[in-house]
Amino acid sequence: GASASARVEPTSVAAQHVLVAYAGAKDAPKGVKRTKAEAKARAEEVAAKAKAGGDFTELVKTYSDDPGSKERMGSVGKFTKDKMVKPFADAAFALAVDEVSGVVETPFGFHVIKRNQ
């Protein structure tokens, strides 16, 4: 049978993300009081807006609770798979360039990831 063209996984990707944290999540900012369920619903809203063509950088400014990347428009820069928590890395590496992920759960909360390169 004809095999589907094997997709070559890159050694590193660059991505932006929105992190929606909740009270009790790892490294959650002090001011975050929302529950895990509220955080997931908020992240789903971000994913829906991003997939509908919303400006990802604007979504970061509005929704992200990650102080480290928020200043850089949500960019986490270029990274290899072993540099990120597994669910985040797996999701980012599965995306095509400019594609946006669904909601990805990690110990830090819920992420929506956009691959930049």
Side-chain angles (χ1 to χ4, degrees):
S3 64
S5 64
R7 199 160 146 262
V8 180
E9 191 164 271
T11 51
S12 67
V13 299
Q16 285 171 281
H17 79 132
V18 170
L19 167 64
V20 183
Y22 54 88
K26 190 173 178 187
D27 294 347
K30 292 279 178 280
V32 172
K33 302 279 186 249
R34 72 179 73 88
T35 65
K36 189 171 182 177
E38 287 167 344
K40 187 172 188 187
R42 187 172 159 94
E44 281 165 355
E45 196 178 307
V46 173
K49 287 185 175 179
K51 286 176 189 289
D55 182 327
F56 202 82
T57 302
E58 287 302 315
L59 291 171
V60 170
K61 285 183 191 160
T62 307
Y63 292 96
S64 190
D65 294 313
D66 178 16
S69 69
K70 196 170 184 172
E71 303 300 308
R72 301 188 300 272
M73 295 160 299
S75 174
V76 289
K78 260 192 127 148
F79 56 92
T80 51
K81 213 164 186 178
D82 58 352
K83 288 284 179 281
M84 294 283 172
V85 287
K86 190 174 187 322
F88 187 101
D90 287 348
F93 275 77
L95 294 170
V97 173
D98 290 331
E99 191 184 354
V100 175
S101 73
V103 174
V104 178
E105 185 180 351
T106 75
F108 301 96
F110 297 95
H111 306 257
V112 179
I113 305 161
K114 180 179 181 180
R115 185 173 160 198
N116 302 125
Q117 45 177 294

